[in-house]
Amino acid sequence: MYQYEYVSVEEKFIKNPCFWNYRKIISEYAEKGWRYVGYVPSAQTREGRVYQIDLIFEKEIEMDTP
């Protein structure tokens, strides 16, 4: 079974490449045992411009067996 974690990345990181820190976020989660599996746009303007995304991470968890 897997546990999922979602991390929102705000507009300023998407709009200005100087502030993209997604690699840092992915590395930090990897160090904690999480695996990056993708992203989804989580908010957009009426014109369709994405201004927030969620990075998705998963971690396998052990199931207790009786």
Side-chain angles (χ1 to χ4, degrees):
M1 182 172 195
Y2 291 93
Q3 176 181 355
Y4 292 90
E5 182 82 20
Y6 306 90
V7 179
S8 292
V9 178
E10 301 294 329
E11 176 181 14
K12 64 182 177 181
F13 297 119
I14 296 169
K15 194 166 146 183
N16 187 344
C18 295
F19 293 102
W20 286 358
N21 70 343
Y22 64 92
R23 289 182 179 178
K24 180 180 177 187
I25 295 169
I26 292 170
S27 294
E28 288 172 358
Y29 272 77
E31 288 175 8
K32 298 175 188 175
W34 293 90
R35 184 174 78 92
Y36 171 72
V37 294
Y39 76 94
V40 292
S42 54
Q44 64 185 25
T45 65
R46 282 185 255 168
E47 295 80 25
R49 184 178 65 82
V50 174
Y51 62 89
Q52 183 175 324
I53 61 172
D54 287 345
L55 301 177
I56 306 165
F57 298 89
E58 73 178 4
K59 181 191 279 191
E60 192 166 6
I61 56 175
E62 294 182 22
M63 298 275 302
D64 292 333
T65 53

